[in-house]
């Protein structure tokens, strides 16, 4: 990928380089292991860029990154999520090749490992209720209490576990627990549950199983099965690491992966928990998982955020061991930075008022040249039709302007972008006194030339020819929450949903915008960056544009 550099470094990359240098592994194998119970979000992008990035950087030694669906919980997982995750990882720019795995393909292996633990006297079937198990776990200052079922014989445990598998227990009546240490200072090590009964249909294995492994037991086994060398996860798993290592130590595994933790991404003005994102969708606070205000990858994509800007953002924030909150303005900076270089410029008027060039003949029109992107002169210019009646932004005219107002006002001059200098001669108003028409005269022979002697013209405004322009629906998206930390809001995150996070306006746009395909992006000159909506826009019409981000950050002033 063009934007990936080889100079990236952080504590994880240092460990990986040292392991390779020491000959600990022949190559590096990482994985990105989403649970298919929701859509991927910008936090997942951090983990994707890390895992797939490391594989790309170490490609010379044969490194790779697996995409593994951690689908061991039949209750919340759906095929819709599996498909969306694949689409989003590919869109972000990463390839898993033939490294596509499903943890549910290892159910037999997990089961064999559990039987092996029982045989070694390291696991037992507990028939206490989940409440009893919870109540006897102890806490940070008190040790746990051993289960009355803890010292069953190996034979009895084998028999009972077989009965669990065969459907002989209703849910909640039996679990398999690792037999470790109820007095361990680490609560995670106090005989954690490793299997439970769930009479649910699984999206991949159907009704073949009615016992399912717990995450902490399954995850190290998945990693080992795939010969993962470095299993990178977020900091909250740090206290689970001793159990990860215990599973690897005590089960018949083909490899010994190493877990390393890093800080998860949190963003201001954003909720990242899948549960909360699901709630926003289910309760209709947004229009779906890909609503352009969502922090999901599909939402960001529909908003017009380039995948490259997300990769650049992930590179900029780096990888550390310290939990913190990143300012969403940093993401917006990366989006503007990329789009400023790449987006073609187009003209659109979002709050139109009519302007009439009274000295321009009724049936005349001409084409003027407007540069496509001053940041990229090689993209040249396009020809845009100009005529007697134009649309301009209402805010570009003031009847009674303050001193430093350099746009249109009675008696003042301004340049039409790419066109003539014009002079305002008067206005027409409607019954309520609102300006309905701005009357101007154009100064012939001023296209591409300096203002004539005695004419002060300090600004250029964008415009759309009324005769040639097209109507478009423009959706002005803003941040979804009005508070920097919605999770901490007194009334809950729903209470700080930003009421103005979507405004839809009817705009006039230059004809070139009718040629855009869904997902084509551009800058509306002087306004912001926009993308043709991937669901609702069609080349030729209807024309529907989403605002990705305004030209400037309007929040930092507040
Ligand atoms: P939940 O706990 O809400 O189900 P999760 O964040 O654990 O969500 P997974 O699908 O299990 O979701 O995540 C897949 C991978 O993405 C994990 O390795 C996880 O550590 C990583 N990940 C998830 N959220 C973030 C985040 N905010 N920042 C960095 N990595 C993340
Ligand atoms: Mg998870």
């Amino acid at each position: 990928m063009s934007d990936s550099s080889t100079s990236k470094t952080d504590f994880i990359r240092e460990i990986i380089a040292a392991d390779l240098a020491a000959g600990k592994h022949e190559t590096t194998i990482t994985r990105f292991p989403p649970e298919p119970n929701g859509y991927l979000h910008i936090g997942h992008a951090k983990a994707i860029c890390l895992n797939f990035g490391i594989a790309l950087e170490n490609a010379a030694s044969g490194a790779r990154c697996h995409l593994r669906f951690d689908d061991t919980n039949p209750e919340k997982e759906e095929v819709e999520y599996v498909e969306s995750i694949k689409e989003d990882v590919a869109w972000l720019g990463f390839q898993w090749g033939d490294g596509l795995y499903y943890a549910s393909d290892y159910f037999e292996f997990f089961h064999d490992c559990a039987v092996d633990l029982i045989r070694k006297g390291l696991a037992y079937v507990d028939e206490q209720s989940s409440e009893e198990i919870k109540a006897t776990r102890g806490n940070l200052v008190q040790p746990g209490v051993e289960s009355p079922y803890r010292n069953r014989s190996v034979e009895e445990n084998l028999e009972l576990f077989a009965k669990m598998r065969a459907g002989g227990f209703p849910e909640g009546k039996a679990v398999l627990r690792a037999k470790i240490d109820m007095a361990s200072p680490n609560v995670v090590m106090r005989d954690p549950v490793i299997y439970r009964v769930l009479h649910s249909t699984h999206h991949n294995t159907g009704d073949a199983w009615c016992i399912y492994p717990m995450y902490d037991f399954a995850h190290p086994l998945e990693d080992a099965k795939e010969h993962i060398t470095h299993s990178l996860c977020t900091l909250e798993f740090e206290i689970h690491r001793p159990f990860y290592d215990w599973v690897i130590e005590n089960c018949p595994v083909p490899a010994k992966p190493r877990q390393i933790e890093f800080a998860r991404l949190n963003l201001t003005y954003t909720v990242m928990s899948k549960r909360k994102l699901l709630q926003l969708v289910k309760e209709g606070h947004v229009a779906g998982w890909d609503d352009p205000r969502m922090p999901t990858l599909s939402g960001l994509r529909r908003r017009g955020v380039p995948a490259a800007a997300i990769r650049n953002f992930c590179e900029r924030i780096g990888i550390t061991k310290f939990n913190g909150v990143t300012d969403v303005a940093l993401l917006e900076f990366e989006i503007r930075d990329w789009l400023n270089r790449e987006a073609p410029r187009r003209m659109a008027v979002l709050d139109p008022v009519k302007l009439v060039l009274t000295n321009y003949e009724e049936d005349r029109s001409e084409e003027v040249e407007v540069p496509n992107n001053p940041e990229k002169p090689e993209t040249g210019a396009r020809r845009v039709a100009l005529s007697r009646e134009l649309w301009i932004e209402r805010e570009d005219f003031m009847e009674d302007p303050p001193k430093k107002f350099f746009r249109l006002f009675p008696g003042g001059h301004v340049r039409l972008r790419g066109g003539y200098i014009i002079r305002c001669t008067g206005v027409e108003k409607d019954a309520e006194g609102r300006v309905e028409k701005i009357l101007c005269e154009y100064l012939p022979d001023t296209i591409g030339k300096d203002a004539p002697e005695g004419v002060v013209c300090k600004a250029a405004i964008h415009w759309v020819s009324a005769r040639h322009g097209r109507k478009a629906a423009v959706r002005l998206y803003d941040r979804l929450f009005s508070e920097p930390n919605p999770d901490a809001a007194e009334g809950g995150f729903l209470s700080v949903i930003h009421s103005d996070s979507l405004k839809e306006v009817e705009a006039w746009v230059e004809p070139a915008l009718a040629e855009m395909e869904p997902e084509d992006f551009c800058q509306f000159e002087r306004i912001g960056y926009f993308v043709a909506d991937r669901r609702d826009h069609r080349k030729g019409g209807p024309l529907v544009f989403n605002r990705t981000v305004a030209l400037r950050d309007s929040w930092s002033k507040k």
Side-chain angles (χ1 to χ4, degrees):
M1 224 162 293
S2 60
D3 53 26
S4 83
S5 76
T6 46
S7 58
K8 275 180 241 170
T9 193
D10 52 59
F11 75 97
I12 292 179
R13 288 176 163 93
E14 279 167 16
I15 292 171
I16 286 173
D19 284 352
L20 265 182
K24 216 167 151 190
H25 322 280
E26 267 163 40
T27 188
T28 305
I29 309 175
T30 56
R31 87 287 175 264
F32 172 64
E35 185 179 349
N37 62 354
Y39 279 61
L40 296 182
H41 53 59
I42 181 85
H44 291 115
K46 178 177 180 177
I48 295 169
C49 289
L50 176 65
N51 284 291
F52 281 95
I54 286 172
L56 280 173
E57 292 153 32
N58 293 285
S61 69
R64 57 187 190 271
C65 177
H66 295 179
L67 173 60
R68 179 205 308 148
F69 287 100
D70 206 337
D71 56 352
T72 55
N73 178 357
E75 293 190 309
K76 292 182 287 178
E77 296 163 2
E78 286 173 32
V79 179
E80 174 198 346
Y81 298 136
V82 170
E83 292 311 314
S84 77
I85 289 169
K86 284 198 234 169
E87 190 178 338
D88 290 345
V89 172
W91 173 75
L92 197 55
F94 296 102
Q95 286 150 12
W96 52 86
D98 50 14
L100 181 64
Y101 297 87
Y102 292 85
S104 55
D105 287 339
Y106 313 146
F107 278 153
E108 205 65 53
F109 172 61
F110 301 144
H111 173 265
D112 292 347
C113 287
V115 169
D116 191 70
L117 287 177
I118 296 172
R119 289 218 169 92
K120 290 172 177 156
L122 292 175
Y124 61 97
V125 173
D126 195 347
E127 288 172 73
Q128 295 183 106
S129 69
S130 59
E131 293 75 33
E132 283 168 316
I133 291 175
K134 212 171 151 199
T136 51
R137 237 162 67 110
N139 53 39
L140 285 179
V141 287
Q142 265 178 337
V145 179
E146 293 189 356
S147 164
Y149 303 99
R150 195 172 196 263
N151 294 311
R152 287 177 144 151
S153 69
V154 167
E155 288 66 37
E156 194 183 359
N157 279 317
L158 284 172
E159 217 168 277
L160 289 169
F161 189 52
K163 182 175 164 189
M164 278 172 70
R165 180 182 183 169
F169 284 102
E171 288 180 16
K173 293 294 175 197
V175 295
L176 186 70
R177 293 177 76 175
K179 191 170 177 177
I180 306 177
D181 178 8
M182 288 306 287
S184 169
N186 184 341
V187 182
V188 172
M189 299 297 275
R190 294 181 189 168
D191 292 8
V193 173
I194 60 178
Y195 257 98
R196 65 204 156 140
V197 175
L198 282 177
H199 293 279
S200 303
T201 302
H202 187 277
H203 74 94
N204 184 22
T205 54
D207 294 320
W209 294 87
C210 63
I211 53 170
Y212 290 92
M214 302 301 287
Y215 178 89
D216 276 355
F217 178 59
H219 206 83
L221 296 176
E222 294 160 23
D223 287 339
K225 181 97 177 148
E226 294 173 20
H227 293 259
I228 300 299
T229 54
H230 300 83
S231 176
L232 313 178
C233 63
T234 41
L235 279 179
E236 65 273 21
F237 289 101
E238 196 164 17
I239 60 159
H240 297 249
R241 193 186 337 131
F243 184 58
Y244 185 102
D245 292 340
W246 185 94
V247 172
I248 295 299
E249 226 29 71
N250 290 291
C251 292
V253 292
K256 289 189 189 288
R258 169 176 176 191
Q259 173 178 307
I260 307 172
E261 310 85 15
F262 63 96
R264 66 192 300 123
L265 171 68
N266 300 299
L267 273 185
T268 56
Y269 296 96
T270 308
V271 299
M272 210 87 92
S273 136
K274 277 195 248 177
R275 184 180 57 76
K276 290 178 182 169
L277 296 178
L278 181 66
Q279 194 180 348
L280 286 169
V281 173
K282 285 262 152 86
E283 294 178 4
H285 303 287
V286 294
W289 283 102
D290 71 347
D291 184 299
R293 292 164 294 180
M294 291 281 275
T296 51
L297 295 183
S298 55
L300 293 165
R301 174 180 183 177
R302 195 165 168 209
R303 174 94 170 230
V305 173
I310 297 178
R311 295 194 301 265
N312 292 347
F313 168 73
C314 290
E315 186 170 340
R316 177 176 290 263
I317 57 176
I319 298 294
T320 69
K321 274 245 178 221
F322 309 101
N323 275 323
V325 183
T326 301
D327 192 338
V328 74
L330 195 61
L331 173 61
E332 292 164 355
F333 168 84
E334 291 293 348
I335 298 168
R336 286 191 190 96
D337 184 58
W338 194 90
L339 287 171
N340 178 45
R341 268 176 280 127
E342 304 297 332
R345 274 53 169 170
R346 297 289 182 260
M347 293 195 288
V349 176
L350 303 196
D351 182 16
V353 63
K354 192 60 97 39
L355 182 151
V356 182
L357 299 174
T358 52
N359 60 341
Y360 199 95
E361 297 78 355
E362 293 261 359
D363 49 3
R364 178 180 161 197
S365 84
E366 69 196 284
E367 288 186 336
V368 299
E369 288 210 334
V370 184
N372 280 324
N373 184 352
E375 298 285 322
K376 278 194 165 178
E378 69 274 20
T379 58
R382 68 194 180 288
R383 305 184 72 79
V384 186
L386 181 87
S387 62
R388 176 181 166 94
E389 299 206 347
L390 311 172
W391 295 109
I392 67 161
E393 298 288 348
R394 193 166 277 280
E395 67 164 32
D396 281 338
F397 173 80
M398 280 184 97
E399 209 173 357
D400 202 5
K403 239 191 151 85
K404 294 250 156 137
F405 188 82
F406 296 122
R407 288 165 283 164
L408 259 193
F409 54 89
H413 291 84
V414 83
R415 183 183 293 280
L416 295 173
R417 181 90 172 109
Y420 297 103
I421 293 176
I422 60 174
R423 186 173 73 92
C424 177
T425 56
V427 292
E428 280 177 18
K429 296 183 179 177
D430 63 13
E432 275 101 65
R434 187 172 143 99
V435 173
E436 214 173 25
K437 251 183 209 170
I438 300 165
L439 306 176
C440 294
E441 286 178 357
Y442 80 99
L443 280 53
D445 202 27
T446 50
I447 294 181
K449 294 184 181 161
D450 288 342
E453 278 288 316
V455 169
V456 182
C457 177
K458 291 196 173 179
I461 62 171
H462 61 275
W463 50 275
V464 170
S465 163
R467 198 190 319 160
H468 303 91
R470 298 284 305 266
K471 268 192 182 173
V474 175
R475 297 166 181 168
L476 300 172
Y477 291 104
D478 205 337
R479 295 177 183 171
L480 182 56
F481 296 100
S482 53
E483 289 293 321
N485 186 356
D487 291 312
E490 217 170 282
F493 72 107
L494 296 177
S495 73
V496 291
I497 289 185
H498 180 205
S499 55
D500 270 345
S501 60
L502 168 58
K503 274 183 273 187
E504 185 156 342
V505 299
E506 196 179 66
W508 284 99
V509 302
E510 66 166 272
L513 289 174
E515 302 305 313
M516 281 173 57
E517 302 280 0
E519 291 205 84
D520 282 352
F521 55 88
C522 68
Q523 182 195 96
F524 286 178
E525 288 210 33
R526 303 175 59 228
I527 300 177
Y529 296 100
F530 288 78
V531 70
D533 188 73
R534 61 190 292 244
R535 281 185 189 272
D536 302 330
H537 175 94
R538 294 285 173 276
K539 182 176 173 175
L543 309 182
V544 183
F545 297 96
N546 301 332
R547 181 168 70 193
T548 308
V549 67
L551 277 191
R552 273 168 290 275
D553 181 0
S554 62
W555 287 75
S556 61
K557 303 195 278 269
K558 288 184 187 168

